[in-house]
Amino acid sequence: MLPARFDYHRPETMADALALLDQHGDDAKVLAGGMSLIPLMKLRFAAPGHLVDINDLAELRGLSESDGRLRIGALARHHELETSDVVTSRFPTLASAAPLISDPLVRNRGTVAGSLAHADPAGDWGSVMLAVGAEVVVRSSAGERVVPIDEFLVDTFTTSLAPNEIVTEIRVPSAAARAGGAYLKMERKVGDFATVAVAVHVTMDEGHVGHAGIALTAVGPKNIRAAEAESSLAGTEPTEEEFAEAARLAAEAADPQSDLRGSADYKRNIVSVFVRRGLARAVAVASGA
Ligand SMILES: Cc1cc2nc3c(=O)[nH]c(=O)nc-3n(C[C@H](O)[C@H](O)[C@H](O)COP(=O)(O)OP(=O)(O)OC[C@H]3O[C@@H](n4cnc5c(N)ncnc54)[C@H](O)[C@@H]3O)c2cc1C
């Protein structure tokens, strides 16, 4: 099917892009990698009258670490994270997830910011960003605001973004000296969306778990933070028993649907297995193993 008719805009400045969004309101959509928006338009699930292509806004490009955080520009593609030395060496949870996003075609075009703005409950970055405690920086003609990821992801395909706002960057706190993380994903075949996936991020403090971040993909209406599982680990020694209890609590936090990929019980069980494995791996990385 062909998309409905639309006007295409390619602003060269952020001010022009924001003015277009102010002018067209609900009838405009930001276009980044187009990997989610264009298929929706071709299926006519979305029919915006105006596309505002942000790909010429150089200020939205790049990845860099400074002042205790990683800045992921809104035009940073999945592939850039996959191949970034900074991400590979300093942000293990992100590094673990990046190669698991779809296939090389999608990773070359799709952006992390677009993935978060799309808010697909089967999207991988939402869980990763919950686990690492990211913030989303958002701009409109009225100014800038910084939104914690928990407040940014509201519901299925729904964020707290207003129609006249653009995500400009994602901020990920730099890892503590002893931090580790992992992203475990079950997919029917390489390149597919997750049947179930789990993001785990852990900091260690003198042999004990300092802070744990655990979030779940494709087992609820949005990416889910397993808050009780996280707090069960704080201050504990990282033992198999503690991991099993956190895994049980995470499986309870999941709210999966039975479908062709598996029953709800099966998916809950995968959550539990992945949380245990993810914690073991994250603690090993944090401990320098
Ligand atoms: C075949 C296929 C397989 C895929 N598999 C996976 C997978 O396994 N895991 C996964 O996580 N994702 C997967 N995706 C989705 C992919 O990650 C997309 O790249 C991502 O969801 C959207 O990023 P984008 O830059 O392409 O955004 P676009 O498609 O351009 O936009 C998506 C939405 O976000 C909005 N948006 C984009 N950028 C901004 C911004 N800066 N500010 C405000 N709003 C913005 C758009 O208006 C639109 O509503 C897959 C996609 C395809 C086509």
Side-chain angles (χ1 to χ4, degrees):
M1 209 188 292
L2 292 172
R5 291 183 70 85
F6 60 88
D7 287 341
Y8 174 79
H9 308 269
R10 194 157 174 134
E12 290 180 0
T13 66
M14 178 59 86
D16 287 349
L18 294 173
L20 282 162
L21 294 183
D22 280 339
Q23 189 183 343
H24 298 293
D26 267 350
D27 198 27
K29 274 281 180 194
V30 170
L31 176 70
M35 292 292 100
S36 297
L37 182 56
I38 300 299
L40 284 180
M41 290 173 64
K42 289 180 80 174
L43 291 165
R44 301 223 179 177
F45 288 138
H50 298 267
L51 281 192
V52 179
D53 185 338
I54 57 173
N55 281 279
D56 279 349
L57 305 183
E59 68 196 89
L60 300 183
R61 296 199 189 117
L63 270 178
S64 57
E65 187 184 17
S66 62
D67 301 328
R69 62 189 178 218
L70 176 71
R71 170 194 171 273
I72 303 173
L75 285 174
R77 318 282 167 183
H78 309 305
H79 175 71
E80 286 175 68
L81 276 84
E82 187 185 3
T83 52
S84 153
D85 288 340
V86 174
V87 171
T88 309
S89 59
R90 306 249 317 128
F91 295 86
T93 319
L94 277 62
S96 170
L100 302 181
I101 313 288
S102 190
D103 54 35
L105 292 177
V106 172
R107 292 202 292 276
N108 282 339
R109 288 298 307 163
T111 62
V112 179
S115 178
L116 297 179
H118 187 52
D120 186 335
D124 297 302
W125 287 119
S127 293
V128 173
M129 296 306 167
L130 283 167
V132 299
E135 294 174 324
V136 182
V137 184
V138 165
R139 201 175 306 163
S140 72
S141 53
E144 186 173 277
R145 61 191 184 104
V146 180
V147 189
I149 186 71
D150 296 77
E151 292 167 26
F152 185 80
L153 300 173
V154 173
D155 206 342
T156 312
F157 299 119
T158 307
T159 67
S160 55
L161 263 182
N164 70 339
E165 288 181 319
I166 292 179
V167 175
T168 55
E169 67 185 57
I170 297 131
R171 292 177 181 165
V172 177
S174 293
R178 295 202 169 278
Y183 191 67
L184 287 86
K185 177 171 176 178
M186 167 176 275
E187 49 196 355
R188 286 180 304 181
K189 57 180 174 51
V190 172
D192 200 3
F193 279 94
T195 299
V196 176
V198 167
V200 174
H201 184 78
V202 164
T203 61
M204 295 296 290
D205 187 9
E206 297 183 354
H208 290 74
V209 176
H211 172 81
I214 301 175
L216 318 176
T217 304
V219 287
K222 60 176 184 171
N223 298 109
I224 295 174
R225 176 184 292 289
E228 289 189 20
E230 292 176 344
S231 39
S232 78
L233 288 160
T236 62
E237 271 186 49
T239 61
E240 271 298 318
E241 291 71 28
E242 296 295 349
F243 295 169
E245 175 60 5
R248 186 187 68 76
L249 291 166
E252 265 182 28
D255 183 20
Q257 301 288 316
S258 297
D259 58 20
L260 285 175
R261 296 175 184 218
S263 68
D265 282 348
Y266 169 74
K267 294 180 184 180
R268 242 190 230 100
N269 187 50
I270 300 298
V271 168
S272 168
V273 171
F274 277 3
V275 168
R276 264 185 285 138
R277 281 187 199 163
L279 284 168
R281 197 181 298 174
V283 168
V285 172
S287 309

